[in-house]
Amino acid sequence: MKQYNYKNLKEDTHVYHLWSPLKFTIKDNYHYIPTSFIFNLISSILYIPIGLLLFIINYLLYGYKIENKHKILKNTGFVSISNHLHPMDCTMIGLIYFPRRVYYPTLQSNFKIPFIRHLIRILYAIPIPTKKNQKKSFYKQINSSLRNKKIIQMYPEGSLWPYYEDVRNFKYGAFKMAVEANTPIQPIRFLLVEPTGTHKLYKRKKSIHAIVLDPIYPNNDLEHDARIEDLKNRTYEAMKGVNIWKH
């Protein structure tokens, strides 16, 4: 993978780009959360073999390991957040919660990539709208899904920085979702660690480990905007506070 110089870059700068020659437009009546029985049935049937294949790929190629799975929230909807350090870390998020399904709001440009556009849709990727009237529908459907015990994965850093080891500043969108649905945040911190075991024999880059942190709940004693800011700040401090030297 290409090496990047992150010095002096704005923290939400997009440095990783894929070929996206196709056209994609969000219609005003777009179903961000799929409602088609046939689509959901096909997606669910394909999800298990795809999940097993991704588990093998991520373990062999990236030394992927999940720590603290016992901290994962159960029987409730929530907003999952993580730092964004690899193009495959969205699949790693899916493996953390497997077999539960995860919805992934993502850039519209990802729906312009040949073949990938269909694969990510099957895996419940959601295009993020930019038009004001569409954003209202987007957040309404997200809110409803959270109240119906679904998982929404967000990257509050706003962009992918491959193999960047620190946590960048957060945008507020993920925390607005959690506050308005009154659901918790489930933080996931991706760490880069030196390969161990058989991975040392062939891996040159560091392995990727996912650390599941304790869930963080909105403070309902605060006003709406203050509640969002407080939830964002507490989540950021929890992510920054992970002791990387123990891993």
Side-chain angles (χ1 to χ4, degrees):
M1 184 178 289
K2 178 181 176 181
Q3 297 296 317
Y4 297 90
N5 181 8
Y6 298 115
K7 188 176 181 180
N8 299 324
L9 282 181
K10 289 181 62 178
E11 291 194 339
D12 59 353
T13 300
H14 292 276
V15 300
Y16 184 82
H17 302 279
L18 292 173
W19 184 53
S20 52
L22 303 178
K23 292 184 178 180
F24 176 78
T25 303
I26 298 177
K27 296 181 179 180
D28 288 344
N29 62 347
Y30 189 87
H31 291 286
Y32 298 96
I33 306 300
T35 57
S36 167
F37 173 79
I38 298 298
F39 175 85
N40 286 322
L41 177 63
I42 293 172
S43 177
S44 297
I45 291 172
L46 293 176
Y47 185 59
I48 293 177
I50 290 174
L52 294 175
L53 178 61
L54 289 172
F55 173 82
I56 295 170
I57 291 172
N58 284 329
Y59 177 75
L60 292 178
L61 296 186
Y62 310 115
Y64 181 54
K65 180 181 178 182
I66 304 169
E67 301 184 27
N68 298 340
K69 284 198 72 170
H70 64 279
K71 294 186 178 182
I72 297 174
L73 287 160
K74 298 177 176 63
N75 302 316
T76 186
F78 57 87
V79 178
S80 168
I81 68 100
S82 72
N83 51 321
H84 201 5
L85 53 68
H86 197 279
M88 289 290 285
D89 62 29
C90 58
T91 69
M92 297 173 186
I93 289 291
L95 293 174
I96 291 173
Y97 302 118
F98 188 86
R100 287 188 71 181
R101 302 301 303 270
V102 181
Y103 294 88
Y104 302 89
T106 187
L107 297 174
Q108 292 186 43
S109 60
N110 291 329
F111 285 80
K112 300 177 182 179
I113 305 170
F115 177 71
I116 295 296
R117 62 189 295 185
H118 302 296
L119 178 61
I120 63 174
R121 182 61 174 159
I122 287 174
L123 295 176
Y124 285 178
I126 303 170
I128 300 174
T130 56
K131 295 180 180 179
K132 186 175 180 179
N133 65 313
Q134 294 177 343
K135 284 184 177 181
K136 183 177 180 181
S137 175
F138 171 78
Y139 279 110
K140 181 178 180 180
Q141 292 183 45
I142 292 292
N143 185 289
S144 177
S145 69
L146 288 169
R147 293 179 182 275
N148 286 317
K149 301 183 178 182
K150 305 299 184 184
I151 303 172
I152 304 294
Q153 164 64 21
M154 294 290 289
Y155 293 104
E157 293 172 323
S159 61
L160 164 62
W161 280 16
Y163 286 91
Y164 185 77
E165 300 202 41
D166 203 356
V167 178
R168 291 168 281 149
N169 290 320
F170 288 169
K171 296 180 179 295
Y172 76 92
F175 310 97
K176 178 178 184 289
M177 290 177 182
V179 164
E180 296 193 344
N182 197 27
T183 55
I185 295 286
Q186 179 79 74
I188 308 292
R189 173 72 187 271
F190 285 114
L191 295 179
L192 300 175
V193 302
E194 293 298 331
T196 59
T198 56
H199 291 112
K200 290 194 297 184
L201 300 177
Y202 62 90
K203 275 187 61 60
R204 289 181 297 174
K205 289 191 173 181
K206 291 183 177 181
S207 296
I208 302 176
H209 289 191
I211 316 299
V212 182
L213 306 183
D214 290 318
I216 301 175
Y217 293 79
N219 182 351
N220 290 326
D221 292 331
L222 300 175
E223 295 297 325
H224 179 269
D225 290 352
R227 202 180 317 157
I228 294 173
E229 184 69 19
D230 171 73
L231 185 60
K232 178 172 73 74
N233 292 340
R234 285 189 289 125
T235 304
Y236 180 79
E237 292 302 321
M239 294 277 283
K240 290 281 286 187
V242 173
N243 188 342
I244 63 175
W245 306 112
K246 289 185 178 180
H247 301 274

